[in-house]
Amino acid sequence: MAILLGVDTGGTYTDAVLIRDEVEVLAKAKALTTRHDLAVGIGAAVRQVLQQADVAAGDVALASLSTTLATNALVEGQGGRIGLVYIGFAARDLETHGLNAALGGDPVLLLAGGHSHAGGEAAPLDLAVLEEWAGAQEVSAFAVAAQFAVRNPAHELAARDLLRRVTGRPVTSSHELSAKLGGPKRALTALLNARLVGLTHRLIARAEETLRDLGIVAPMMVVRGDGALISAAQAQERPIETILSGPAASIVGARWLTGAQDALVSDIGGTTTDIALLRAGVPQIDPAGAQVGPYRTMVEAVAMRTHGLGGDSEVHVIGEGLAGGVTLGPRRLIPVSLIARDAPDAVHAALERQARSVLPGDHDGRFVRAVPGQDTGGLGARDAAVLERIGDGVQPLEAVLRNRLETQALQRLVGRGLVQVAGVTPTDAVHVLGRLGDWDADAARLALGLMARRRTGSGARLAEGPEALAQRIVDQLVTQTGLALLETAFAEDGWDGAPGDLARHPLMQAGLRGHRGVLGLDARLRLPVVGLGASARCHYPAVGDWLNAQVELPEHGDVANAIGAVVGQVAFRRTGTVTAPAEGLFRVHLTEGPQDHRTAEAAIAALEAVLSAEARAEAEAAGAGDIGVTLRREVKTVEAEAREVFLEAVVTAEASGRPRIAV
């Protein structure tokens, strides 16, 4: 009997699940995610799930982790200070693909060198200049990107070796992350990877230490952004590949739980709703590369539409118009019901004082607290003063902010991950409606009561009381979820026009309501929706009604990410190119340099052999067994003077297999 442990660290909860023999869920557990040290939440969830299943820690044969760390770090601008070595490019190229913005003032060295499209040296590489510059940099890691390095990586390799020798710091080479052309975009991917190295090393080391302390000695895997598994060591070397690993794991988990072939998978978490399309049981891969925040990378990841809509989304009051209303997101807040559980006296005292006031205040029902253990270096005077005023406890927002400039300071502190803001969320609404009782429902009712007395454009109250407002918030969550699913459907079907506009079009909305007049209009979502996430059972039956769609809510769908983290396959793809720099000459572009052949078939066969060996070696290093290798060729030719002329061939080798499990 093989016991497998899957763990997912989400924005609100860390989930753990135990699976027996890859076919049966033995137990599942949730713990609050501890953002200051994710390993604390991991340990709490794993400890619970072992106790529930009455399984000895030593019986766990494999552990696997999906994490939002890389995604959140990039979105929130976190990570280490890095140095970029940009070889063969001009200064203006730093403006391409947001490189300058991503650097954020970190040091960069523009160095002569690089190669041509055919793999020949464009200019010599000046290693003396590089050595002098490197010795003067105080950074946590380096990124190296050279022009046409995917055709000949010699200059990247030389720079990498020198930087490691001189500084002892981790170095990311762009050709190791992608075989695609596009130097600036490849440089951006390398830069972001270098920035994440330190964070990911610490997380994985702490996670492995936590599991060992619990008695789990099994190897630990990490989920990649395309849903495949890699070893912990590989994730530490290439952390950029773990962006979007949580959503990718949810797709794998949905397929395992339901056997769905064609469906829209919608995973509602605390912060976001992630929607992806399953076709023939396989998630689609984003051909443009994963996008996280403002950055479009060269990382292969599941094609996912992410909306800032979750159980902990901020509730905004719409004061304009006669009726008024609410809208949700995209920012995540700590629910009032949760922060009141942590600091009941301070929260209840503030809420009751605000309720006694005749007029509603701008900051009613809002609280702040500092995140312990964070680096506060480099703060401006105003930011430091606001942080000092917050102190170690929970404070009502009205007691912290004294003017509008301090509001901006608070936003900067939140952006750096130093402060958390609490306020009314859909999670509070379901507490008020009695659908959830995990935290402090009385505090949630007080906070919604304060919001309900806000005035609309007509001068009337927003809602008659907390229950009426709670239902309005839940209804808005259903509406925004339905619109998000429609946007995805229109985008996948390739309709002309913006998917969001089409989803909101009056004819579409009339069709969903089954309009019957001179015209009869009917509309529905044809594919079923697989609803995942802790709150899916609360909201998705109503979403199905809104869309006239079938909704499937699988058992254990609340921990689908953790399940997907451990039931997936190890998979590695390696891609290479054959070009024709001259008639009768076919060039294979390899890591050790170009290799020439006299026929296209010989060149392609040689490349297939090298890529197959590299992909298999990576899969073996990740711990895969029963490895299979598949090959794909894309040969480009053109007709010229009544004959077919070879232009280029792109070869991809994929090695895959399940992790080896010691039983």
Side-chain angles (χ1 to χ4, degrees):
M1 181 178 72
I3 303 295
L4 312 180
L5 170 67
V7 178
D8 172 67
T9 62
T12 303
Y13 286 109
T14 293
D15 299 337
V17 63
L18 287 176
I19 295 177
R20 179 168 56 199
D21 295 332
E22 302 184 37
V23 296
E24 178 189 4
V25 175
L26 288 179
K28 60 186 180 182
K30 289 178 176 289
L32 286 171
T33 294
T34 46
R35 290 176 69 89
H36 65 284
D37 184 355
L38 294 177
V40 175
I42 291 172
V46 172
R47 197 174 293 109
Q48 286 182 50
V49 82
L50 290 172
Q51 290 172 353
Q52 287 180 25
D54 194 23
V55 167
D59 291 339
V60 174
L62 178 71
S64 189
L65 171 71
S66 72
T67 174
T68 61
L69 175 70
T71 307
N72 290 345
L74 296 185
V75 169
E76 296 167 7
Q78 299 175 0
R81 175 179 167 85
I82 63 99
L84 172 64
V85 180
Y86 209 28
I87 303 170
F89 294 95
R92 64 178 179 275
D93 293 319
L94 289 171
E95 299 300 328
T96 308
H97 292 284
L99 264 175
N100 254 341
L103 277 166
D106 287 357
V108 59
L109 174 65
L110 296 171
L111 204 58
H115 290 78
S116 69
H117 183 274
E121 186 176 74
L125 179 65
D126 193 338
L127 291 176
V129 171
L130 176 60
E131 183 167 2
E132 181 180 358
W133 176 84
Q137 305 309 313
E138 295 183 5
V139 296
S140 63
F142 290 93
V144 179
Q147 193 169 42
F148 286 112
V150 295
R151 296 295 165 84
N152 190 337
H155 286 181
E156 280 196 2
L157 294 172
R160 180 197 68 185
D161 293 345
L162 184 148
L163 288 167
R164 286 177 176 171
R165 174 175 57 80
V166 171
T167 70
R169 298 294 186 186
V171 183
T172 298
S173 301
S174 77
H175 77 278
E176 295 174 331
L177 298 176
S178 177
K180 295 180 180 178
L181 293 174
K185 189 175 178 181
R186 205 172 57 252
L188 173 68
T189 306
L191 182 161
L192 297 175
N193 188 81
R195 199 179 294 290
L196 292 170
V197 165
L199 284 172
T200 307
H201 265 270
R202 289 193 292 274
L203 167 64
I204 290 177
R206 285 282 292 120
E208 289 182 319
E209 176 188 350
T210 299
L211 294 183
R212 284 196 303 271
D213 289 346
L214 291 171
I216 297 172
V217 295
M220 190 174 85
M221 312 291 287
V222 179
V223 181
R224 207 168 52 197
D226 61 357
L229 303 181
I230 57 178
S231 70
Q234 290 165 331
Q236 287 176 316
E237 184 178 347
R238 298 191 295 272
I240 190 70
E241 295 184 356
T242 69
I243 59 175
L244 302 180
S245 76
S250 75
I251 306 303
V252 176
R255 175 77 174 88
W256 188 85
L257 286 167
T258 67
Q261 292 295 305
D262 298 302
L264 283 171
V265 179
S266 184
D267 183 4
I268 180 170
T271 308
T272 61
T273 292
D274 302 311
I275 303 172
L277 177 66
L278 273 178
R279 286 288 192 196
V282 178
Q284 307 301 293
I285 299 298
D286 191 338
Q291 177 148 358
V292 179
Y295 307 122
R296 174 69 74 175
T297 71
M298 280 187 167
V299 175
E300 289 190 344
V302 169
M304 185 81 59
R305 296 180 75 87
T306 297
H307 301 262
L309 177 68
D312 298 344
S313 289
E314 181 176 11
V315 177
H316 301 271
V317 173
I318 302 173
E320 300 81 12
L322 295 178
V326 295
T327 186
L328 309 178
R331 188 168 70 154
R332 174 184 179 269
L333 301 181
I334 299 173
V336 173
S337 51
L338 173 57
I339 204 165
R341 189 204 66 170
D342 297 340
D345 293 341
V347 172
H348 277 271
L351 292 171
E352 289 166 4
R353 183 181 68 253
Q354 292 164 358
R356 289 193 296 270
S357 175
V358 176
L359 297 175
D362 291 341
H363 303 308
D364 283 358
R366 295 232 164 186
F367 300 86
V368 289
R369 69 180 178 194
V371 179
Q374 302 301 297
D375 180 12
T376 59
L379 289 180
R382 182 171 282 111
D383 296 19
V386 171
L387 186 61
E388 183 178 359
R389 208 173 297 144
I390 294 171
D392 297 330
V394 172
Q395 302 289 343
L397 188 55
E398 62 185 7
V400 172
L401 298 183
R402 297 174 178 173
N403 53 56
R404 292 189 180 276
L405 291 177
E406 291 192 341
T407 300
Q408 297 171 3
L410 178 66
Q411 291 172 348
R412 289 191 294 270
L413 293 171
V414 172
R416 282 193 55 175
L418 300 176
V419 169
Q420 294 174 320
V421 179
V424 172
T425 68
T427 296
D428 296 308
V430 293
H431 273 81
V432 170
L433 294 174
R435 300 178 191 174
L436 190 66
D438 294 349
W439 303 328
D440 191 330
D442 291 335
R445 185 170 287 102
L446 284 168
L448 265 72
L450 289 168
M451 181 175 281
R453 66 182 190 166
R454 300 273 292 274
R455 298 292 172 175
T456 67
S458 68
R461 288 170 57 101
L462 177 64
E464 286 304 312
E467 286 77 13
L469 179 57
Q471 188 59 56
R472 199 165 189 174
I473 292 169
V474 169
D475 290 345
Q476 182 63 25
L477 179 62
V478 169
T479 298
Q480 288 185 223
T481 302
L483 290 171
L485 285 160
L486 285 177
E487 283 186 36
T488 303
F490 277 117
E492 292 294 341
D493 280 350
W495 285 68
D496 291 335
D501 293 342
L502 293 169
R504 292 166 175 79
H505 196 283
L507 288 176
M508 184 69 208
Q509 295 302 310
L512 291 173
R513 295 192 300 270
H515 173 81
R516 291 294 180 268
V518 176
L519 288 174
L521 298 175
D522 291 289
R524 66 186 177 91
L525 197 64
R526 189 182 68 82
L527 292 184
V529 175
V530 179
L532 306 175
S535 61
R537 289 188 178 275
C538 278
H539 307 300
Y540 275 52
V543 172
D545 293 340
W546 196 85
L547 292 169
N548 303 316
Q550 174 191 344
V551 171
E552 187 170 355
L553 299 169
E555 185 183 10
H556 310 306
D558 56 330
V559 292
N561 293 37
I563 290 171
V566 78
V567 300
Q569 285 209 335
V570 173
F572 283 90
R573 283 176 291 276
R574 288 292 174 265
T575 300
T577 306
V578 176
T579 60
E583 188 171 358
L585 185 66
F586 301 90
R587 179 163 293 170
V588 182
H589 297 277
L590 302 173
T591 302
E592 56 268 25
Q595 183 184 97
D596 293 337
H597 295 264
R598 288 299 174 188
T599 68
E601 182 57 37
I604 293 173
L607 181 57
E608 286 177 338
V610 170
L611 296 178
S612 296
E614 290 179 353
R616 181 179 288 275
E618 287 272 32
E620 289 174 348
D626 297 325
I627 298 170
V629 178
T630 59
L631 293 166
R632 187 175 71 251
R633 297 180 177 185
E634 295 178 20
V635 181
K636 299 177 183 178
T637 60
V638 66
E639 290 288 336
E641 299 178 353
R643 66 190 182 96
E644 191 175 59
V645 177
F646 177 94
L647 293 180
E648 182 182 84
V650 177
V651 174
T652 300
E654 179 170 334
S656 61
R658 277 289 293 156
R660 288 189 297 269
I661 298 172
V663 181

